[in-house]
Amino acid sequence: MIFIYNTLTRQKEPFIPLEPNKIKMYVCGVTVYDECHLGHARCEVSFDMIRRYFMQAGYHVTFVRNITDIDDKIIQRAQFNNESYSDLTARMISAMHAHYAALGVLPPDIEPKATDFVESMQQLIQRLIEASYAYVTTSGDVYYRVRRFKSYGCLSGKVIDELEVGSRVAFNHEKEDPLDFVLWKAAKPGEPAWPSVWGNGRPGWHIECSAMCQATLGDTLDIHGGGPDLKFPHHDNEIAQSEALTKKPLANMWMHVGALRVNQDKMSKSLGNFLTIKAALAEYPAEVLRYFLLSSHYRSEMQYTTDRLKEASNSLKRLYSAIQNIPCDQDKSQDSIDELCPYESVFHQAMRDDFNTPKAFAVLFDLARDINKLKKIDLQSASLLAKKLLKLSHLLGFLYHHPEKYAQGDTGIDSEWIESMIEKRKKAKQQRDFKTADHIRQVLMKKGIELLDHRDGTRWQMMK
RNA sequence: GGCUGGAUGGCAGAGUGGUCAUGCAGCGGACUGCAACUCCGCGGACGCCGGUUCGAUUCCGACUCCAGCCUCCA
């Protein structure tokens, strides 16, 4: 049994899917007007970890992640760039795919784009109007009548009358109530637009998720997830839109990832303080970023600093060094080992408790230490443990590289030359010519290459 | 002002009513021609004040402080 913290009830609950062994999971994706930043990465990597865990637990997961490919910011940016909005979004989408893939995020099973579901949205809006949950204005906008939905704000715990209405929301004469949010926006000249019974226009942001959830997964999802800033108003609005019509819960379980902060502020596009995934990938190996992003519990907020990344890099190195020079491919029963030291059961216990990755990581490090100890005295047992370490790490999306290759990275230096230097040094050492041997070490050191002498020979790695 | 979630050793970060988190960094030792890895050992922590209890970092209450949200945002 897996326990998950449900934002809706504010407690951990046993997870029971609607249909046995099947999970319908919808995670809100991004608005593609710019490149994805590390905040997005944290969200995607977290849900990827969760999805992978469900999969290995034997569930058939249908994972949907939408793309918002039409909205005000996209239009503005496209105009600024002097390109069509669809050229802009196509470019951003392919960048997103590349960056997520680098971080080991599995592609979604379904990736609906808002612009492909405009008709579904229009149908929902029409039904909301008919049920008097929405109204049309003289200029052709359609708004959702928030006060008509009695439990509005139930997800975030907001009380309508306590919101700072008017202080931040722009005043709009056509709204019946400042709280009302837009379902359909009448188009201004030159803007991309779709025909509708209310005139040419485009959908508001929130309605797309209601439409795409329903179109791809049905009325009720097992899990609906997203970033911390979507809880309100986005997800509360989705609930208001969908449940007003279906009278059924939009999702049984709501999951929200904690914020990633930079210098005390939330990383966000509107604050302009974001670090793109692309920029981060230029500085650190993708696996280090993934490790960093999963090193805190998914719900807690975390701080991005270069020190933390350096630390993540060192920690990951420790795991890789444990499996270095160990045959991991032999296929023998490991049961006896787990009876003595229940690594796997502790690991799964941690993961089943709301995906406690820090605790699961601790198991990996326990394994690493025991492997290192056994290496010297019992290589066979060590390799069984190493296999276990790989298995558990793979569940989280780690340790897919060959340990040697990982340590060496992409040097841009001719590895044959390095090997020849190592050979030279070996000869010098054999002749007890340590002066020459140390000189060779120095020469390589200047290029950032570190030599490591082992009983069975000399290896090299990048120093970083 | 309202809502939501926090406060753990130098840093990061789990957890528990009474014996170990874990990682990074530091210190001492082993190994080593040098260096690194590795191993062994060490130190230090539970915001503040009350309460419950044989015993609380862990449960309850007050307080202080912090963050996110209440406009588009993962």
Side-chain angles (χ1 to χ4, degrees):
Chain A
M1 184 68 84
I2 296 174
F3 284 78
I4 299 176
Y5 182 89
N6 188 352
T7 308
L8 193 62
T9 56
R10 291 176 199 93
Q11 60 186 359
K12 279 185 201 168
E13 296 173 353
F15 175 68
I16 300 164
L18 289 158
E19 288 179 64
N21 301 320
K22 287 188 183 174
I23 299 179
K24 298 177 186 179
M25 198 169 169
Y26 184 102
V27 174
C28 287
V30 295
T31 303
V32 283
Y33 72 97
D34 206 342
E35 287 189 352
C36 294
H37 57 64
L38 279 183
H40 298 120
R42 150 107 121 146
C43 189
E44 294 309 325
V45 166
S46 295
F47 282 110
D48 180 71
M49 170 274 292
I50 290 164
R51 174 194 187 186
R52 282 172 189 256
Y53 195 75
F54 280 135
M55 285 162 66
Q56 69 79 36
Y59 289 102
H60 178 80
V61 183
T62 307
F63 187 90
V64 181
R65 185 183 64 215
N66 70 295
I67 294 175
T68 303
D69 62 344
I70 183 65
D71 106 310
D72 290 359
K73 285 192 174 135
I74 291 172
I75 294 169
Q76 277 173 22
R77 180 65 63 92
Q79 279 172 353
F80 180 81
N81 290 353
N82 197 25
E83 63 182 332
S84 74
Y85 85 94
S86 54
D87 283 352
L88 171 67
T89 56
R91 209 171 62 248
M92 290 308 151
I93 288 168
S94 72
M96 174 184 77
H97 285 159
H99 298 151
Y100 284 179
L103 292 171
V105 174
L106 300 172
D109 297 303
I110 306 173
E111 191 171 46
K113 287 187 227 164
T115 53
D116 290 334
F117 286 84
V118 175
E119 232 180 274
S120 309
M121 296 185 228
Q122 290 178 346
Q123 285 166 14
L124 284 186
I125 295 169
Q126 188 56 43
R127 287 170 61 201
L128 285 168
I129 293 170
E130 285 162 10
S132 71
Y133 277 102
Y135 55 93
V136 190
T137 68
T138 50
S139 53
D141 292 337
V142 183
Y143 288 98
Y144 187 94
R145 192 172 272 133
V146 166
R147 282 182 194 274
R148 170 137 165 69
F149 188 71
K150 59 200 182 318
S151 55
Y152 185 79
C154 61
L155 180 67
S156 58
K158 303 251 186 274
V159 181
I160 284 180
D161 293 319
E162 298 294 343
L163 296 177
E164 286 186 340
V165 169
S167 64
R168 299 178 84 176
V169 179
F171 188 69
N172 183 328
H173 290 285
E174 295 198 326
K175 283 189 189 178
E176 289 178 2
D177 189 301
L179 287 168
D180 294 347
F181 60 89
V182 72
L183 295 169
W184 185 261
K185 270 188 157 173
K188 297 189 193 85
E191 288 182 345
W194 286 258
S196 81
V197 292
W198 321 290
N200 288 347
R202 62 178 182 276
W205 175 38
H206 314 292
I207 195 67
E208 71 176 58
C209 285
S210 285
M212 293 189 284
C213 282
Q214 193 171 49
T216 57
L217 294 171
D219 286 347
T220 300
L221 317 168
D222 288 300
I223 295 172
H224 191 133
D229 34 17
L230 296 187
K231 210 186 293 181
F232 188 89
H234 184 58
H235 287 160
D236 264 316
N237 287 356
E238 279 185 47
I239 289 173
Q241 292 163 342
S242 295
E243 298 187 8
L245 294 176
T246 64
K247 311 294 181 194
K248 288 185 259 183
L250 172 57
N252 286 335
M253 196 73 89
W254 288 84
M255 297 179 72
H256 292 92
V257 172
L260 180 70
R261 290 191 287 152
V262 185
N263 303 327
Q264 303 303 323
D265 288 317
K266 183 187 68 168
M267 183 178 289
S268 91
K269 289 187 191 175
S270 36
L271 289 175
N273 64 348
F274 57 90
L275 180 69
T276 63
I277 299 174
K278 188 177 166 185
L281 284 171
E283 294 286 325
Y284 306 95
E287 200 171 356
V288 168
L289 291 171
R290 187 174 172 103
Y291 179 94
F292 162 71
L293 292 171
L294 292 177
S295 62
S296 300
H297 183 87
Y298 78 88
R299 275 191 289 118
S300 56
E301 61 179 33
M302 65 192 299
Q303 186 80 240
Y304 170 87
T305 66
T306 51
D307 283 353
R308 295 277 285 114
L309 266 293
K310 176 68 187 163
E311 192 186 310
S313 174
N314 287 345
S315 303
L316 196 54
K317 218 185 264 178
R318 180 171 168 78
L319 294 181
Y320 266 115
S321 91
I323 53 170
Q324 223 163 17
N325 270 26
I326 288 195
C328 298
D329 43 277
Q330 37 183 301
D331 203 5
K332 287 183 185 162
S333 170
Q334 299 183 20
D335 294 350
S336 57
I337 284 183
D338 214 54
E339 274 170 28
L340 295 172
C341 306
Y343 310 98
E344 253 181 291
S345 53
V346 174
F347 179 92
H348 288 296
Q349 202 178 306
M351 289 299 284
R352 283 195 298 257
D353 182 13
D354 200 27
F355 310 102
N356 192 334
T357 50
K359 201 173 176 185
F361 276 163
V363 175
L364 302 185
F365 286 104
D366 287 342
L367 266 167
R369 172 174 300 109
D370 291 346
I371 292 167
N372 286 330
K373 263 192 266 193
L374 282 170
K375 261 182 189 173
K376 297 166 195 160
I377 52 172
D378 180 359
L379 192 61
Q380 189 169 349
S381 297
S383 94
L384 287 178
L385 284 191
K387 207 181 151 196
K388 198 178 282 285
L389 173 59
L390 280 177
K391 180 183 166 192
L392 297 180
S393 301
H394 286 355
L395 293 185
L396 297 171
F398 290 112
L399 302 196
Y400 278 110
H401 295 96
H402 184 86
E404 203 106 341
K405 291 276 177 298
Y406 177 80
Q408 292 172 355
D410 188 14
T411 55
I413 300 172
D414 183 7
S415 62
E416 277 182 32
W417 175 76
I418 298 172
E419 295 298 338
S420 74
M421 292 298 273
I422 290 174
E423 193 57 31
K424 258 194 209 172
R425 179 164 166 277
K426 184 182 169 189
K427 281 177 183 151
K429 276 171 64 178
Q430 279 166 353
Q431 290 161 11
R432 313 285 301 170
D433 178 5
F434 295 123
K435 204 175 165 189
T436 303
D438 287 346
H439 176 68
I440 290 171
R441 178 186 284 289
Q442 291 294 321
V443 169
L444 289 169
M445 190 95 78
K446 278 180 189 159
K447 293 186 181 289
I449 295 159
E450 194 170 19
L451 297 184
L452 312 170
D453 291 337
H454 293 266
R455 282 185 196 138
D456 51 347
T458 299
R459 290 200 296 269
W460 63 273
Q461 66 180 30
M462 294 309 287
M463 282 168 60
K464 222 174 180 183

